[in-house]
């Protein structure tokens, strides 16, 4: 029997190195080579055995005459290696699975992290502050404008309503969605094709519909509806209303003169015009002089007259007798039917015209100082609250001339509103 002591790793978790395995084989060979075999000795059998049957297998043992004893590693399952215990005192090595304690910390120079433990949840691996190794760090919001959510996935959100131009520096180029400019004017110009040498031109979409370009305007209109060519515009007066008459290369705009049947322009010649016409200011009659009253003569032309006819104590105001007049002796508000007013006052009084409305348009009121005492007892003509007199809201007119007579007419002005106007003022007697 030959006893052989083999090397083993003691107190370490790693497998035998190649050199240590080779040394064991050398020990085995030397043990057998040192046997003294006598030609006719008493040794009749040589065998080899091992207590590490989970590691080594022995074959062809014992040898009784001649032969070779073989030693091999025992078959092992996958992913196992020969190593000592994972912890504690030294022990015979065995084939076992690798454990974390078997693996040393691998430096960054060898492709590792140099760390001996894993970080906490949602941390990231980064280069440390001294750039000498790696460490773990938690991502946190850098400002109120960025939000970091650490959960099963790490989300980084930009808070748009917290971003302002004041927080940004530099300019954004055009190919990045900006203008590359720092002022509004230069920004507008930056988005246009080159401005130089393009005075008087206009922008149009290019033929390929891929961009805009400068183009020179045509010297004349070349197409309007169905007309084409070098078009011109002419003025005409045919028709009964404003109309446009295209023919050939000429577009005629016809504006007829106004008449009883035509809607058109007012000319310097005689015209008969149909329809009610409303003036926003009092018309001026060239055939009258100041303080005259208007009347229609035999030819229906408007003229002016300075005096009225009296029949004894009865005053005729455009053929209306005093018996149809309303006599006022104190402050009063007129009714719609009070058209001819005799002011028989013994003191200063106020006379308020009716509240104006559409039904009163064209209505005329004549007010006469019958006693000829206006210079002593003034009469103030007023309008209903909110109405206009002579273009003034809540306006007034004071009769302060003895025997004065005024004519007040309701007229419609722009915007379907109505005003009172003094259309005549004169002295009778």
């Amino acid at each position: 029997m030959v006893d052989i002591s083999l090397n083993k790793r003691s107190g370490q978790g790693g497998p035998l190195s190649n050199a240590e395995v080779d040394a064991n084989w050398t020990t085995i060979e030397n043990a057998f080579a040192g046997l003294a075999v006598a030609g006719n000795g008493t040794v009749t059998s040589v065998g080899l055995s091992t207590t590490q049957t989970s590691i080594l297998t022995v074959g062809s043992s014992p040898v009784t005459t001649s032969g070779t004893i073989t030693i091999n590693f025992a078959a092992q399952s996958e992913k196992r290696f020969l190593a000592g215990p994972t912890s504690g005192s030294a022990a015979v090595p065995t084939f076992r699975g690798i454990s974390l304690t078997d693996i040393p910390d691998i430096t960054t120079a060898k492709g590792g992290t140099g760390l001996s433990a894993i970080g906490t949840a949602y941390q990231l691996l980064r280069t440390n502050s001294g750039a000498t190794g790696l460490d773990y760090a938690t991502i946190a919001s850098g400002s109120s404008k960025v939000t970091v959510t650490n959960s099963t996935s790490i989300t980084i959100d930009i808070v748009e309503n917290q971003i302002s131009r004041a927080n940004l520096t530099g300019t954004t180029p055009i190919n990045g969605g900006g203008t590359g400019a720092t002022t509004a004017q230069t920004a507008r110009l930056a988005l246009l094709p080159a401005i130089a040498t393009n005075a008087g031109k206009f922008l149009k979409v290019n033929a390929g519909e891929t961009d805009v370009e400068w183009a020179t305007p045509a010297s004349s209109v070349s197409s309007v509806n169905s007309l084409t060519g070098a078009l011109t515009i002419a003025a005409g007066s045919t028709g009964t209303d404003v109309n446009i008459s295209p023919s050939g290369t000429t577009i005629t705009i016809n504006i007829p003169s106004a008449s009883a049947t035509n809607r058109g322009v007012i000319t310097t010649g005689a015209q008969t015009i149909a329809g009610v016409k409303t003036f926003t200011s009092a018309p001026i009659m060239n055939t009258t002089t100041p303080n005259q009253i208007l009347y229609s003569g035999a030819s229906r032309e408007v003229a002016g007259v300075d005096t009225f006819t009296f029949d004894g104590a009865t005053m005729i105001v455009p053929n209306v007798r005093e018996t149809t007049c309303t006599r006022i002796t104190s402050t009063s508000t007129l009714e719609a039917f009070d058209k001819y007013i005799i002011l028989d006052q013994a003191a200063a009084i106020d006379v308020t015209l009716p509240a104006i409305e559409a039904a009163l348009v064209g209505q005329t009121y004549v007010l006469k100082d019958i006693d000829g005492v206006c210079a002593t007892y003034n009469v103030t003509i007023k309008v209903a609250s909110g109405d206009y007199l002579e273009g003034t809201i809540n306006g007034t007119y004071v009769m302060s001339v003895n025997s004065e007579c005024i004519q007040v007419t309701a007229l419609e002005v722009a915007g379907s509103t109505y005003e009172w106007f003094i259309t005549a003022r004169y002295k009778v007697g």
Side-chain angles (χ1 to χ4, degrees):
M1 181 65 69
V2 178
D3 291 326
I4 301 173
S5 297
L6 300 178
N7 291 326
K8 63 179 180 179
R9 293 181 64 80
S10 176
Q12 299 184 28
L16 293 174
S17 65
N18 290 338
E20 290 171 326
V21 172
D22 289 342
N24 283 342
W25 282 114
T26 301
T27 300
I28 294 171
E29 292 173 354
N30 290 339
F32 282 96
L35 291 176
V37 180
N40 293 313
T42 58
V43 177
T44 60
S45 175
V46 176
L48 180 64
S49 64
T50 176
T51 59
Q52 302 298 321
T53 57
S54 63
I55 301 174
L56 300 173
T57 61
V58 178
S60 302
S61 177
V63 176
T64 58
T65 55
S66 64
T68 301
I69 299 174
T70 60
I71 301 176
N72 293 294
F73 279 111
Q76 304 293 327
S77 58
E78 64 180 5
K79 299 179 182 178
R80 299 177 71 81
F81 72 105
L82 186 63
T86 58
S87 62
S89 301
V92 175
T94 59
F95 281 99
R96 59 176 175 78
I98 194 169
S99 70
L100 290 177
T101 58
D102 294 321
I103 303 173
D105 295 340
I106 301 175
T107 64
T108 55
K110 295 296 184 180
T113 64
L115 302 173
S116 59
I118 193 169
T120 59
Y122 313 125
Q123 285 189 314
L124 298 180
L125 193 62
R126 68 171 186 181
T127 303
N128 62 23
S129 59
T132 58
L134 302 177
D135 61 12
Y136 289 101
T138 300
I139 297 181
S141 298
S143 70
S144 60
K145 301 169 185 63
V146 178
T147 299
V148 177
T149 304
N150 291 303
S151 60
T152 54
S153 62
I154 297 176
T155 303
I156 300 178
D157 296 314
I158 302 297
V159 184
E160 295 182 4
N161 59 9
Q162 294 291 327
I163 303 299
S164 66
R165 184 67 182 85
N167 303 129
L168 306 176
T169 59
T171 59
T172 304
I174 293 177
N175 61 6
T179 63
T182 57
T183 66
Q185 177 65 10
T186 55
R188 286 190 292 270
L189 296 178
L191 298 177
L192 294 173
I195 299 294
T197 72
N198 287 301
K201 296 182 180 180
F202 67 94
L203 283 176
K204 73 171 186 177
V205 178
N206 63 13
E209 298 181 347
T210 58
D211 207 341
V212 293
E213 63 185 8
W214 294 107
T216 302
S219 58
S220 63
V221 177
S222 60
S223 175
V224 174
N225 294 339
S226 60
L227 300 184
T228 58
L231 303 180
T232 58
I233 298 176
S237 59
T238 61
T240 60
D241 203 344
V242 176
N243 65 91
I244 298 176
S245 177
S247 178
T249 58
T250 301
I251 300 173
T252 302
I253 301 175
N254 291 304
I255 305 176
S257 297
S259 69
T261 58
N262 293 350
R263 184 177 74 162
V265 296
I266 300 297
T267 69
T268 58
Q271 289 177 277
T272 300
I273 302 175
V276 175
K277 302 298 181 286
T278 300
F279 296 91
T280 58
S281 58
I284 297 176
M285 303 298 178
N286 290 332
T287 59
T288 64
T289 59
N291 300 321
Q292 287 187 322
I293 190 170
L294 300 180
Y295 77 99
S296 177
S299 63
R300 295 182 298 174
E301 292 182 354
V302 176
V305 66
D306 296 315
T307 61
F308 286 87
T309 302
F310 287 86
D311 181 14
T314 302
M315 179 185 76
I316 301 176
V317 180
N319 298 322
V320 178
R321 291 184 174 276
E322 182 181 339
T323 53
T324 63
C325 297
T326 300
R327 183 179 297 273
I328 292 179
T329 60
S330 62
T331 294
S332 304
T333 297
L334 301 182
E335 299 292 340
F337 53 83
D338 292 330
K339 298 179 180 180
Y340 304 99
I341 312 302
I342 299 298
L343 302 174
D344 187 8
Q345 77 273 24
I349 62 174
D350 295 340
V351 177
T352 302
L353 297 171
I356 198 164
E357 58 184 357
L360 292 179
V361 171
Q363 178 64 61
T364 297
Y365 292 80
V366 178
L367 297 95
K368 169 67 174 66
D369 172 26
I370 190 65
D371 290 333
V373 294
C374 269
T376 304
Y377 306 110
N378 294 345
V379 178
T380 301
I381 308 302
K382 297 182 176 182
V383 294
S385 177
D387 285 352
Y388 285 82
L389 176 63
E390 294 288 300
T392 302
I393 189 169
N394 299 326
T396 61
Y397 174 78
V398 178
M399 295 175 58
S400 58
V401 177
N402 289 342
S403 300
E404 185 176 9
C405 183
I406 67 168
Q407 180 177 296
V408 184
T409 304
L411 297 177
E412 182 180 11
V413 296
S416 298
T417 59
Y418 313 97
E419 293 185 23
W420 290 105
F421 286 89
I422 298 176
T423 53
R425 183 174 65 87
Y426 44 87
K427 180 179 179 180
V428 179

